[in-house]
Amino acid sequence: MYISNIKDYKNDDFFIRNSLVSIVTRALDYYEQTGGAIVSNVSLLDENVFMTISQNETEDKESRMFEYHKNFWDIHITIDGCEDIGYTSSLADSYSQFIHSYNEESDLGFIKKGCVLKQEYFQSNPGDICVLSENQLHKPLCKGNCSCSVKKIIIKIHKSYFC
């Protein structure tokens, strides 16, 4: 997991090295142009780079499951509200015996509750950007100090983009 902020990403070595500056800029521009309308699967470059704008309620950490994606990176940009995002340095492959489900079409899998050991949480506030590589276990939309609604941009980038 890599963390930055919309004030800093254009000068951030990680975003520059991985050619992410233009993708994040396109997503933020789209958000502004549409007034932040809730949308799904809007292409930013082609079918391998797209975004969603969502609004969801946070939930208790214990009720959320760790998720992973085998083929896509996630970039979460918090626009409004705040959430705790659970993460671990472990990859989904190391938890293969605890896989709850995996949907190849949506590239979304879950690990059974309570099976991920060394987990930490990052509090994502408006303007924060969280980058997660494929197979990295993460648990978004966790309640921090209080329950709230979180509006965010989620950019999906196919792993082949980085080859």
Side-chain angles (χ1 to χ4, degrees), residues 31-96:
Y31 180 86
E32 289 298 319
Q33 292 166 3
T34 62
I38 305 300
V39 296
S40 293
N41 303 332
V42 174
S43 176
L44 293 172
L45 292 179
D46 56 30
E47 69 277 357
N48 291 320
V49 181
F50 58 94
M51 67 178 275
T52 295
I53 300 171
S54 65
Q55 187 154 5
N56 296 288
E57 293 294 319
T58 57
E59 300 175 24
D60 291 329
K61 291 174 181 161
E62 297 77 31
S63 68
R64 303 281 303 160
M65 287 191 284
F66 272 89
E67 63 182 60
Y68 65 96
H69 314 285
K70 289 183 180 182
N71 297 306
F72 283 87
W73 284 43
D74 270 4
I75 300 177
H76 295 232
I77 306 171
T78 303
I79 301 297
D80 191 35
C82 65
E83 68 177 317
D84 281 3
I85 299 176
Y87 65 96
T88 179
S89 59
S90 300
L91 299 178
D93 294 342
S94 63
Y95 280 88
S96 59

Side-chain angles (χ1 to χ4, degrees), residues 8 13 16 20-21 24 28 38-39 41 63 80 96 107 112 114 145:
D8 304 322
D13 286 340
I16 294 167
L20 297 174
V21 172
V24 171
L28 291 170
I38 305 300
V39 296
N41 303 332
S63 68
D80 191 35
S96 59
D107 189 41
K112 293 176 186 170
N145 295 333

Side-chain angles (χ1 to χ4, degrees), residues 84-143:
D84 281 3
I85 299 176
Y87 65 96
T88 179
S89 59
S90 300
L91 299 178
D93 294 342
S94 63
Y95 280 88
S96 59
Q97 71 271 29
F98 301 115
I99 291 176
H100 177 269
S101 64
Y102 176 74
N103 182 311
E104 193 169 329
E105 186 175 314
S106 64
D107 189 41
L108 178 61
F110 294 97
I111 303 296
K112 293 176 186 170
K113 290 180 188 175
C115 292
V116 177
L117 301 176
K118 299 175 185 175
Q119 50 186 281
E120 298 181 53
Y121 289 85
F122 159 72
Q123 184 178 24
S124 186
N125 296 300
D128 286 338
I129 302 174
C130 176
V131 182
L132 300 143
S133 63
E134 84 273 6
N135 263 341
Q136 186 167 22
L137 296 175
H138 57 289
K139 185 172 20 170
L141 294 171
C142 292
K143 187 186 316 182

